[in-house]
Amino acid sequence: MNYKMIRQTLGWILIFEAVFFCIPLITAIVYKESAVWSFLICIAICLVLGRLLTFKKPKDTTLYSREGFVIVALSWIVMSIFGCLPFLMSGVTTSFIDALFETVSGFTTTGASIFPAVEDLPYSINMWRCFTHWIGGMGVLVFLMVFLPLSGGQNMHLMKAESPGPSVSKLVPRVRTTALILYAIYFALTVTELVVLLILKMPLYDAICASFGTAGTGGFGVKNDSMASYSPAIQIAVTVFMLLFSINFTSYFLILSLKIKDAFNCEVRTFLFIVFASVGLITLNVYSSFDSLGEALRHAAFSLASIISTTGYATVDFDLWPSLAKGILVLSMFIGACAGSTGGGVKVSRVVILIKGVINELRTFIHPRQVKKVSMDSRSVEDATVRAVMVYIACFVVIFIGSVLLISWEGHSLTTNFTAVAATLNNIGPGLEAVGPTQNFAFWSIPSKLVLIFDMLAGRLELFPMLVLFYVRTWKK
């Protein structure tokens, strides 16, 4: 285990977090809020500790898969611990666990909040909440790779450990250039959404926060009713961008490279089919609850896009919808977005591989001597990838069941417990009943919040980086 490289990377994480604090600091200065001192102190703390950790450069910069997983997991934990300090120093909460829950929810792009009235929060605190979505959406270590050669050319281990999806590949030969391309696309889409929202007459502050939340598929809002009070045009625009950020960013690179056919691969086609089919079914199911078909379609599309992209914004209380509509939304929680996007969930590619793997096994039962591999886009999927998907699904189910059982001791309804874990492990935000789109997570006890915090981190980091921390052999030299 290369402990010195772990120390070095954590130091750079703190230094970059100090830079990230400048966005809410500027907001606090503009709105003349007392929270300016909270952010200044946080910047000083992160800079001093970061400099101490990076003062001596390690001679051995080699990173293997084990170090990659450990660095990613510890980086997100450290980033969350220091990221929660503004909530405590500004006085918006006095509970460290609540502040940590809100921060982890932000960085993991979950959007589950402990604040019942976000409009009462200072502008700078709300800006920090929303900006954590943007930071966590693409990944902070991917961001570091743009500026720092972290591991002597072996930082692909970091990208694989942090990026969502069953497989990660380089767009170009250099990992650092790949990270730059991904963030350039990410930044361009964010700015595009910001411009569109401003054209649609959304206030600048609201537009910036909404763009951060949509880009990271996070869902923290600056209004108590989330997106309900904005115009239909704004809601439609946000719907489109939630779906755009749910698609593998590699597809956008392929489009820019004029490889249109490759961009619309099996996963993207399946994702779009699920979206359109689900929106159609929900619209038909909730049509009687609205004044017109157009209104029903708009709210159905927004809610489905919000859930399947794991953003978590809301225009209506879908907890009041019929069972079929709610059932589709709950299933969408688990399917999630495409691999390589900023969305959470199991990922469409894993679902496709899982289904094809099951069909392949059924064929084997009928024709034992037939050899047929799982394929996507006319290419065979490696057996190691299929096995990894199966192991991931198994771990996901075990963690999900364990989490539901752990929080069930509080006595809330099964629907509340089930969807609370589904909403946090899949990085969505709202669930049903007590954790519905008009509710919050403040009522949970400290032990339950710790379970849900773990679920948010595990879900965002694809389970294994967090599990590796608890594996004894990880820490042996």
Side-chain angles (χ1 to χ4, degrees):
M1 179 69 76
N2 193 338
Y3 289 103
K4 292 182 179 179
M5 268 305 295
I6 294 174
R7 167 186 57 78
Q8 177 86 356
T9 307
L10 293 179
W12 280 112
I13 287 290
L14 290 175
I15 291 174
F16 273 83
E17 187 160 22
V19 176
F20 296 148
F21 278 135
C22 291
I23 298 295
L25 173 63
I26 294 171
T27 306
I29 293 173
V30 170
Y31 287 97
K32 299 178 181 179
E33 295 174 339
S34 59
V36 63
W37 297 107
S38 302
F39 289 107
L40 283 173
I41 294 172
C42 291
I43 289 173
I45 292 173
C46 289
L47 284 177
V48 171
L49 290 178
R51 190 69 188 101
L52 288 174
L53 291 174
T54 58
F55 181 73
K56 188 175 181 180
K57 187 176 180 180
K59 294 180 180 179
D60 181 11
T61 60
T62 303
L63 287 181
Y64 295 104
S65 181
R66 177 174 60 167
E67 284 88 353
F69 279 88
V70 170
I71 285 175
V72 167
L74 290 180
S75 293
W76 282 71
I77 292 172
V78 168
M79 188 169 60
S80 298
I81 290 173
F82 285 89
C84 78
L85 295 181
F87 294 103
L88 296 169
M89 292 182 179
S90 63
V92 296
T93 181
T94 57
S95 169
F96 172 76
I97 298 300
D98 281 356
L100 183 63
F101 185 97
E102 194 77 10
T103 309
V104 170
S105 182
F107 280 126
T108 59
T109 72
T110 303
S113 182
I114 52 91
F115 292 114
V118 295
E119 291 182 25
D120 297 336
L121 298 176
Y123 287 98
S124 55
I125 293 297
N126 263 332
M127 178 62 75
W128 175 237
R129 291 171 72 242
C130 297
F131 188 47
T132 54
H133 284 333
W134 197 84
I135 297 168
M138 185 60 67
V140 66
L141 285 165
V142 175
F143 183 83
L144 258 65
M145 289 176 201
V146 174
F147 299 96
L148 302 172
L150 287 179
S151 54
Q154 300 181 66
N155 44 23
M156 193 62 189
H157 292 304
L158 297 179
M159 182 173 285
K160 285 184 176 180
E162 188 178 50
S163 299
S167 63
V168 177
S169 60
K170 292 184 285 186
L171 302 179
V172 291
R174 294 185 62 192
V175 176
R176 191 175 182 181
T177 307
T178 296
L180 178 60
I181 292 171
L182 290 173
Y183 253 100
I185 296 171
Y186 188 47
F187 182 80
L189 282 173
T190 306
V191 173
T192 302
E193 182 183 4
L194 175 61
V195 172
V196 169
L197 293 178
L198 290 176
I199 292 173
L200 295 175
K201 305 296 178 62
M202 195 178 200
L204 176 61
Y205 175 83
D206 294 28
I208 293 173
C209 291
S211 298
F212 285 154
T214 308
T217 62
F220 277 154
V222 295
K223 291 186 177 294
N224 296 334
D225 62 2
S226 188
M227 289 284 168
S229 59
Y230 294 111
S231 68
I234 289 176
Q235 294 174 3
I236 293 171
V238 172
T239 300
V240 172
F241 278 99
M242 284 192 292
L243 294 175
L244 288 176
F245 282 105
S246 303
I247 294 174
N248 194 327
F249 277 50
T250 303
S251 295
Y252 297 124
F253 176 75
L254 292 172
I255 291 174
L256 294 174
S257 303
L258 300 180
K259 298 178 181 179
I260 309 298
K261 185 178 179 181
D262 294 335
F264 289 93
N265 54 31
C266 178
E267 183 183 30
V268 174
R269 294 195 305 271
T270 303
F271 174 75
L272 294 176
F273 172 78
I274 293 172
V275 168
F276 288 117
S278 299
V279 169
L281 289 172
I282 293 174
T283 301
L284 292 174
N285 192 227
V286 303
Y287 171 60
S288 60
S289 302
F290 296 95
D291 297 330
S292 65
L293 179 62
E295 185 181 8
L297 177 61
R298 172 164 53 86
H299 289 299
F302 188 98
S303 299
L304 189 280
S306 178
I307 295 300
I308 201 168
S309 69
T310 70
T311 304
Y313 285 140
T315 55
V316 292
D317 185 1
F318 51 73
D319 191 31
L320 302 177
W321 283 358
S323 296
L324 176 61
K326 289 193 291 186
I328 293 172
L329 291 178
V330 171
L331 287 175
S332 299
M333 289 182 179
F334 291 95
I335 295 173
C338 297
S341 69
T342 59
V346 172
K347 304 295 182 302
V348 174
S349 57
R350 284 198 181 97
V351 174
V352 172
I353 291 173
L354 177 64
I355 293 173
K356 289 191 174 187
V358 171
I359 294 173
N360 200 35
E361 286 300 312
L362 292 176
R363 287 174 178 166
T364 303
F365 290 142
I366 299 172
H367 304 287
R369 295 184 180 181
Q370 183 184 44
V371 178
K372 187 174 179 62
K373 302 193 71 173
V374 175
S375 63
M376 288 182 69
D377 299 309
S378 302
R379 290 191 295 266
S380 296
V381 178
E382 294 180 3
D383 291 337
T385 301
V386 177
R387 181 182 63 83
V389 168
M390 301 303 178
V391 172
Y392 178 91
I393 298 295
C395 289
F396 183 93
V397 171
V398 170
I399 293 174
F400 186 90
I401 293 173
S403 298
V404 171
L405 292 175
L406 285 173
I407 68 173
S408 293
W409 69 276
E410 290 196 35
H412 302 297
S413 71
L414 176 61
T415 300
T416 294
N417 297 332
F418 185 91
T419 57
V421 174
T424 50
L425 190 57
N426 292 306
N427 303 134
I428 295 164
L432 298 175
E433 292 192 358
V435 290
T438 61
Q439 308 297 325
N440 59 75
F441 284 69
F443 64 90
W444 292 101
S445 65
I446 289 178
S448 292
K449 285 176 181 174
L450 290 174
V451 171
L452 297 176
I453 286 172
F454 173 83
D455 287 345
M456 288 188 284
L457 287 168
R460 172 57 183 85
L461 300 180
E462 302 283 290
L463 306 185
F464 297 112
M466 290 300 294
L467 295 179
V468 162
L469 293 181
F470 297 95
Y471 186 49
V472 177
R473 292 189 178 181
T474 299
W475 305 99
K476 292 182 180 180
K477 293 185 178 181

